[in-house]
């Protein structure tokens, strides 16, 4: 079972979801300015908001969760401060309700 960390950051810009562990960890470091091995989860989405990947580190290694919707789109947080690379969301908001 994967435990969802208390801190969950959603990237505000879409990324190429063909990327895997190391490249997504690099984006966390370079674009988000955070440590990917921290006790946080990092959520990435594609341009159409139909797919998401969640990257987290469980203390022993990276975990990657990938989900594709059959219909609808993911609701990306609307309250994005200007110029923000990521938005902190609650664990409840991570439920990623589809529109």
């Amino acid at each position: 079972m994967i435990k969802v960390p208390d801190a969950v950051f959603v990237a505000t810009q879409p990324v190429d979801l063909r990327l895997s562990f190391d490249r997504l960890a690099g984006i966390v470091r370079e674009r988000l300015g955070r440590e990917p091995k921290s006790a946080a989860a990092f959520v990435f989405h594609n341009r159409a908001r139909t797919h998401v990947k969640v990257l987290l580190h469980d203390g022993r290694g990276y975990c990657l969760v990938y989900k594709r919707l059959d219909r609808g789109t993911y609701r990306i947080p609307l309250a994005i401060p200007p110029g923000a690379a990521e938005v902190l969301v609650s664990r409840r908001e991570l439920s990623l309700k589809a529109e």
Side-chain angles (χ1 to χ4, degrees):
M1 180 89 164
I2 298 172
K3 181 182 180 283
V4 177
D6 290 331
V8 178
F9 296 95
V10 177
T12 59
Q13 299 298 312
V15 299
D16 181 350
L17 292 184
R18 293 175 292 182
L19 302 179
S20 194
F21 300 95
D22 295 328
R23 295 287 301 274
L24 290 174
I27 290 173
V28 170
R29 273 190 208 93
E30 295 166 16
R31 292 190 199 166
L32 307 184
R34 302 208 175 265
E35 174 53 47
K37 291 184 179 180
S38 65
F42 302 94
V43 181
F44 301 95
H45 60 90
N46 65 339
R47 189 171 308 280
R49 297 186 346 239
T50 55
H51 298 64
V52 295
K53 277 191 176 180
V54 180
L55 178 72
L56 57 100
H57 196 276
D58 68 359
R60 296 181 55 176
Y62 287 114
C63 299
L64 193 59
V65 178
Y66 187 35
K67 184 167 183 177
R68 178 196 69 173
L69 291 177
D70 289 333
R71 63 180 186 277
T73 59
Y74 284 107
R75 181 180 52 84
I76 305 305
L78 298 175
I80 300 173
E86 93 280 328
V87 176
L88 178 65
V89 298
S90 69
R91 289 167 72 179
R92 192 177 118 244
E93 288 176 292
L94 184 61
S95 64
L96 300 173
K97 295 179 183 174
E99 298 174 335

